[in-house]
Amino acid sequence: RRQRQMCIRDSHTLISQCRKDFPILKREVNGYPLAYLDNAATTQKPKSVIDAITNFYENHNSNVSRGVYTLAEEATEIYESGRDAVANFIGAEDSGTIIFTSGTTESINLVASAWVQKNLKKGDRIILTEMEHHSNIVPWQLAAKSYGIELVYWPVTPEGRLDLALLEELLTNSVKLLAFTMVSNVLGSINPVEQITKIAHSHGVPVLVDSAQAVSRMSIKVSEWDCDFLAFSGHKVYGPTGIGVLYAKKERLEEMMPFQGGGGMISHVEKQSSTWAVPPQKFEAGTPPVAQVPGLKAALEYLEQYGIKEIERHDNELTEHALNQLTEFPDLELYGPSEIQNRTGVVSFNLQNVHSHDVAQVLDESGIALRAGHHCTQVLHERLGVPATVRMSFGIYNDPSEIDRMFSALDQARAIFLH
């Protein structure tokens, strides 16, 4: 019990220290303090991130890898130091394995185009899971139509998990890639990346990990996990929009064709042919997200000052608090694991006989921001047997009182729609 009390005290200290760093949390919505519980969609930005972007535009704005004048050299140094910061944050041994993109979506599309076209052929298979975001389904559907590839789905259990024994059955000789999410953006389930990767590699199958929901909540260790590809978005980790990351092993980068053609990704251009720059520049055509990189670096530094273990502990506390509240209301149906083990701070539910959109609209009237709909996971919602869900998802700045406010506000929805 003493250890539990210390954990709660540490978490409260974390909140008191960090809430003041987020300017948007000072505002009110419909006369109520903003309770932002939609962190799975995007996170809010601390002042240090906003200042880093502003500082770049005010003092260093230039294109990168182009000029030899002072501003250009400063911009290039800032840009490449951001690449180093990302590599360190996710446990990559070489910053040359870090490609900057516009987000998780583009990162996965890059692999679905640049790697698939050279490494897969008609009749090959790709394994996906039923809990994937559309960003980890639709790019593979496009590739399947272009190259005659078959998509195979790893089912989700009724408890919102993946059955590892079933994976062994799915990994036939025709499977050439396994792509899966580390954390479900609906169920909150945490998938064991290292274990899944080991099983896939034992069958000679490369692995792509969508870590968009995981990167701000738990430690990422690509070198230890041995995954072949990993993708995430800056805006999900308290950084700016318009920037994402694709990590890829060196040997995978060498197997990939350029994703886009243009300036910055070439070695030499002739009238009829060109040769390519070495990775990662080979995959960063045109002007990259130069100003967003210092913002992303500032976001990662912000998280590191608190420590990812402390952030994970805080996330677990909020999740446990929400799950305990859910069990008190028989008219609320939870989706995903009901216990705290192997899940994180993404909690989806429905109020019986009330559409999720109606619930979210009523909650907004009390200043509570959360998401309602299919959350870009229509395959999963079909599996769950519902068209939509209400989703609350937690961030570093949330506290238990905001969860309590949400459950209290649900009484208004009951009064409006059920009486």
Side-chain angles (χ1 to χ4, degrees):
R1 187 169 64 183
R2 182 180 179 184
Q3 184 178 12
R4 172 67 175 160
Q5 291 173 340
M6 290 177 62
C7 181
I8 293 175
R9 184 167 62 250
D10 289 344
S11 182
H12 289 169
T13 301
L14 175 70
I15 296 165
S16 64
Q17 288 176 342
C18 80
R19 285 188 67 88
K20 65 181 182 300
D21 298 332
F22 293 80
I24 200 169
L25 298 182
K26 297 180 176 68
R27 70 164 294 180
E28 293 186 347
V29 174
N30 297 321
Y32 293 89
L34 171 64
Y36 185 79
L37 299 174
D38 193 23
N39 295 280
T42 194
T43 51
Q44 299 301 338
K45 319 307 173 192
K47 187 68 163 50
S48 60
V49 169
I50 299 169
D51 288 345
I53 298 170
T54 301
N55 176 65
F56 178 83
Y57 281 127
E58 288 183 344
N59 298 297
H60 308 288
N61 185 46
S62 173
N63 216 325
V64 295
S65 305
R66 300 288 196 275
V68 294
Y69 54 89
T70 299
L71 289 182
E73 291 176 346
E74 290 174 352
T76 301
E77 182 179 352
I78 290 170
Y79 184 73
E80 293 303 328
S81 71
R83 200 189 306 275
D84 293 338
V86 170
N88 181 68
F89 190 81
I90 66 172
E93 295 177 353
D94 183 354
S95 63
T97 59
I98 304 300
I99 301 168
F100 286 123
T101 66
S102 64
T104 306
T105 299
E106 186 181 31
S107 294
I108 296 173
N109 273 275
L110 196 163
V111 179
S113 175
W115 186 79
V116 166
Q117 66 173 300
K118 193 175 178 182
N119 293 276
L120 272 70
K121 63 183 184 304
K122 185 176 181 179
D124 288 340
R125 292 181 172 182
I126 295 174
I127 297 177
L128 309 175
T129 84
E130 289 182 331
M131 66 173 69
E132 298 310 311
H133 189 280
H134 293 166
S135 292
N136 204 22
I137 293 178
V138 178
W140 308 114
Q141 291 177 339
L142 296 173
K145 290 181 178 179
S146 296
Y147 302 107
I149 300 165
E150 181 183 354
L151 303 182
V152 178
Y153 282 86
W154 185 2
V156 175
T157 69
E159 296 78 27
R161 303 180 185 279
L162 296 173
D163 185 345
L164 297 184
L166 183 55
L167 176 60
E168 293 277 8
E169 299 177 17
L170 294 174
L171 286 166
T172 62
N173 291 335
S174 59
V175 174
K176 304 303 179 184
L177 181 71
L178 167 61
F180 68 97
T181 184
M182 183 175 174
V183 170
S184 168
N185 73 315
V186 174
L187 304 172
S189 309
I190 303 173
N191 294 320
V193 174
E194 188 171 7
Q195 192 173 359
I196 292 172
T197 300
K198 186 176 181 179
I199 293 171
H201 282 179
S202 71
H203 291 263
V205 175
V207 166
L208 179 144
V209 180
D210 174 357
S211 67
Q213 293 300 329
V215 67
S216 66
R217 303 175 187 278
M218 58 196 66
S219 179
I220 306 294
K221 301 176 181 178
V222 293
S223 295
E224 289 186 23
W225 296 342
D226 198 34
C227 56
D228 298 84
F229 305 99
L230 181 134
F232 71 89
S233 298
H235 73 97
K236 299 284 180 78
V237 67
Y238 306 97
T241 57
I243 185 170
V245 169
L246 174 67
Y247 159 83
K249 287 182 175 179
K250 282 187 174 182
E251 55 265 37
R252 300 304 174 201
L253 291 175
E254 294 299 330
E255 295 171 351
M256 294 165 63
M257 294 294 291
F259 179 46
Q260 295 176 323
M265 50 74 66
I266 54 88
S267 174
H268 185 72
V269 176
E270 298 179 350
K271 287 184 177 180
Q272 302 300 328
S273 64
S274 299
T275 55
W276 318 127
V278 297
Q281 286 76 19
K282 177 181 177 180
F283 306 102
E284 295 180 354
T287 298
V290 185
Q292 289 91 331
V293 166
L296 176 58
K297 180 182 179 182
L300 301 182
E301 290 173 344
Y302 183 83
L303 292 184
E304 286 175 335
Q305 80 179 46
Y306 290 105
I308 200 68
K309 290 298 183 183
E310 174 63 23
I311 293 168
E312 187 174 0
R313 190 158 55 241
H314 173 60
D315 188 73
N316 287 339
E317 178 191 331
L318 294 177
T319 304
E320 185 175 15
H321 186 75
L323 294 178
N324 289 338
Q325 292 271 63
L326 273 164
T327 61
E328 298 179 6
F329 298 95
D331 60 352
L332 295 179
E333 183 174 2
L334 172 69
Y335 302 97
S338 58
E339 69 282 354
I340 190 64
Q341 291 80 11
N342 299 316
R343 72 161 300 146
T344 190
V346 180
V347 181
S348 297
F349 64 93
N350 270 325
L351 177 61
Q352 290 178 9
N353 301 317
V354 182
H355 196 282
S356 63
H357 289 166
D358 293 328
V359 172
Q361 190 169 6
V362 171
L363 295 177
D364 178 62
E365 293 174 0
S366 296
I368 300 166
L370 46 65
R371 185 59 60 93
H374 57 66
H375 316 300
C376 295
T377 58
Q378 289 178 305
V379 170
L380 175 59
H381 277 77
E382 182 177 353
R383 175 75 169 179
L384 297 175
V386 293
T389 52
V390 182
R391 182 186 71 190
M392 55 178 165
S393 48
F394 312 128
I396 189 174
Y397 35 66
N398 291 127
D399 63 43
S401 69
E402 293 175 310
I403 298 172
D404 295 342
R405 278 180 57 196
M406 193 283 298
F407 281 104
S408 295
L410 280 175
D411 289 335
Q412 299 178 38
R414 291 185 181 91
I416 294 171
F417 297 111
L418 298 178
H419 297 289

